[in-house]
Amino acid sequence: MSEETAPADTTSALRSSTPRTPTARLGVAVVHDLVEAIVKGDVPPGDTLPPEEKLAQHFAVSRTVIRESVKRIEEKGLISVAPGRGTTVQPKTSWNVLDPVVLAVLLENDSSLGVLDEISIIRAALEGSMSAATAQHGTPEQIAQVTASLARMEESVEDPEVFPDADLDFHFLVMTLSGNELASSITKILFSRARQSARFVGNQSTDAFHLTLEEHRRVHDAIAAGDPAEAEAAMRAHILDAWQRRRFPTARER
C-alpha cells in the first residue's frame, strides 16, 4: 500500500475512534474498529484505507498486526487489496453480512432498526417455509417433540428468565426437523446474533409472552395437523407480529 493511494481525509475519519492499548486480542480490536469505520461510512466505498504505517501508528500496534487484520477484513468482503492501488473499500453488496463481526457491527450501529427489520423479514420467509416442511414430512415422533417443546413454553410463560429460551428451543426444533440444513443454518446465525442486541429482545412482558405462546400454539397445531400452508402462514405471522410488539420506535418515527 503506498501513501499516495490514501485520500487525505481517510486517516482523520479513523481518528474518531479511540486508539486501543495493545492487548492479547489487539488484532480482534483492530478488525472490529476498521469494520465499524467502513460500516458507519467513515471510510466510504471507493476510498482507500491509510497505508500500513499510518494504521499501525493510529492503533498503536505493529505493521504485522495491521497486515493480518487487513487480510481478515478482505476475507469478509469489505475491502479489496491491489498492489500499487492500495486497499479499497467495497460497496455493501460485496460484504459477507453473515460474518459474525460484520453482522455484529451492523447491529451495533442499527439506530434506524432497519437491519433488525430486514432480519425479521428474512426469518419469517425462511422459518415459514421450514415450518411447512416440518408439517408436511413430520413423523409422529417428531410431532411429539414439537408438542413437548410447546409444553415447556406453557410451563414457563410466567417466567421471564426461562420463557425466552423455551421460545428459542421451539424455533430451533422446528427448523431442525424441516431437514433444510442451509436455511436452518442461515436463520440460526441471524437469530442468535440478533438476540444479542438489546433492541431486539427489549420491550418484553408476560402479556407479550402469552400472545407469543398462542402464536406458537397455532404453529404447533398446524404442524400436528399436517397442514403445510397453515404452518407457514402461522410462523410468518408470529415472527413479524412478535417483532412489532418488541420494536421500540426510533427517534425519526416518534
Side-chain angles (χ1 to χ4, degrees), residues 203-225:
N203 207 19
Q204 299 270 33
S205 67
T206 53
D207 288 342
F209 289 163
H210 280 279
L211 287 172
T212 295
L213 177 60
E214 288 307 310
E215 291 167 355
H216 282 74
R217 183 173 287 114
R218 285 195 285 273
V219 174
H220 163 272
D221 291 350
I223 291 174

Side-chain angles (χ1 to χ4, degrees), residues 65-80:
V65 170
I66 294 298
R67 195 171 300 118
E68 290 301 315
S69 299
V70 167
K71 184 184 301 182
R72 289 199 292 272
I73 297 170
E74 183 179 26
E75 292 169 351
K76 301 176 191 300
L78 276 70
I79 58 175
S80 64

Side-chain angles (χ1 to χ4, degrees), residues 13 29 37 50-51 54 56 60 67 112 130 143 153 155 163 189 194 201 210 214 220 224 233 235 237 253-254:
K54 285 192 174 182
R67 195 171 300 118
S112 70
M130 285 185 281
I143 293 172
M153 292 184 66
E155 294 166 359
F163 184 80
I189 290 171
V201 299
H210 280 279
E214 288 307 310
H220 163 272
M235 182 62 85
E253 295 167 339
R254 293 191 184 101

Side-chain angles (χ1 to χ4, degrees), residues 77-113:
L78 276 70
I79 58 175
S80 64
V81 181
R85 290 186 299 183
T87 303
T88 306
V89 175
Q90 297 299 292
K92 191 173 182 178
T93 51
S94 298
W95 302 355
N96 176 9
V97 295
L98 292 179
D99 177 88
V101 177
V102 177
L103 185 54
V105 172
L106 283 168
L107 289 169
E108 289 167 10
N109 294 277
D110 187 27
S111 60
S112 70
L113 300 185

Side-chain angles (χ1 to χ4, degrees), residues 127-139:
E127 288 198 53
S129 66
M130 285 185 281
S131 297
T134 300
Q136 185 172 3
H137 303 296
T139 65

Side-chain angles (χ1 to χ4, degrees), residues 9-17 33-45 47 89 109:
D9 62 346
T10 304
T11 306
S12 61
L14 292 173
R15 287 186 185 133
S16 60
S17 62
D33 282 3
L34 286 175
V35 169
E36 184 173 53
I38 294 170
V39 166
K40 292 172 65 177
D42 295 338
V43 189
D47 279 10
V89 175
N109 294 277

Side-chain angles (χ1 to χ4, degrees), residues 23-254:
T23 66
R25 295 179 61 81
L26 48 82
V28 174
V30 170
V31 169
H32 178 278
D33 282 3
L34 286 175
V35 169
E36 184 173 53
I38 294 170
V39 166
K40 292 172 65 177
D42 295 338
V43 189
D47 279 10
T48 53
L49 294 181
E52 284 181 5
E53 183 177 359
K54 285 192 174 182
L55 288 174
Q57 292 172 355
H58 172 75
F59 288 106
V61 298
S62 69
R63 294 181 66 170
T64 299
V65 170
I66 294 298
R67 195 171 300 118
E68 290 301 315
S69 299
V70 167
K71 184 184 301 182
R72 289 199 292 272
I73 297 170
E74 183 179 26
E75 292 169 351
K76 301 176 191 300
L78 276 70
I79 58 175
S80 64
V81 181
R85 290 186 299 183
T87 303
T88 306
V89 175
Q90 297 299 292
K92 191 173 182 178
T93 51
S94 298
W95 302 355
N96 176 9
V97 295
L98 292 179
D99 177 88
V101 177
V102 177
L103 185 54
V105 172
L106 283 168
L107 289 169
E108 289 167 10
N109 294 277
D110 187 27
S111 60
S112 70
L113 300 185
V115 176
L116 287 174
D117 287 339
E118 291 179 3
I119 286 176
S120 294
I121 292 170
I122 294 169
R123 281 189 56 216
L126 293 179
E127 288 198 53
S129 66
M130 285 185 281
S131 297
T134 300
Q136 185 172 3
H137 303 296
T139 65
E141 292 77 13
Q142 291 173 334
I143 293 172
Q145 292 180 52
V146 179
T147 300
S149 184
L150 180 67
R152 286 191 289 274
M153 292 184 66
E154 293 171 337
E155 294 166 359
S156 61
V157 71
E158 296 288 339
D159 190 338
E161 297 297 323
V162 177
F163 184 80
D165 287 335
D167 183 341
L168 177 69
D169 290 343
F170 183 97
H171 283 268
F172 278 22
L173 175 62
V174 171
M175 286 188 273
T176 298
L177 296 180
S178 75
N180 190 332
E181 294 182 1
L182 180 57
S184 178
S185 178
I186 292 171
T187 307
K188 287 176 181 178
I189 290 171
L190 293 173
F191 195 5
S192 298
R193 187 62 61 177
R195 285 186 89 223
Q196 297 176 21
S197 168
R199 297 185 182 98
F200 181 79
V201 299
N203 207 19
Q204 299 270 33
S205 67
T206 53
D207 288 342
F209 289 163
H210 280 279
L211 287 172
T212 295
L213 177 60
E214 288 307 310
E215 291 167 355
H216 282 74
R217 183 173 287 114
R218 285 195 285 273
V219 174
H220 163 272
D221 291 350
I223 291 174
D227 188 337
E230 178 57 27
E232 179 168 7
M235 182 62 85
R236 280 177 177 264
H238 157 61
I239 290 172
L240 296 175
D241 291 348
W243 167 234
Q244 289 304 313
R245 288 196 295 270
R246 295 193 309 274
R247 191 184 191 277
F248 288 105
T250 63
R252 187 174 296 179
E253 295 167 339
R254 293 191 184 101

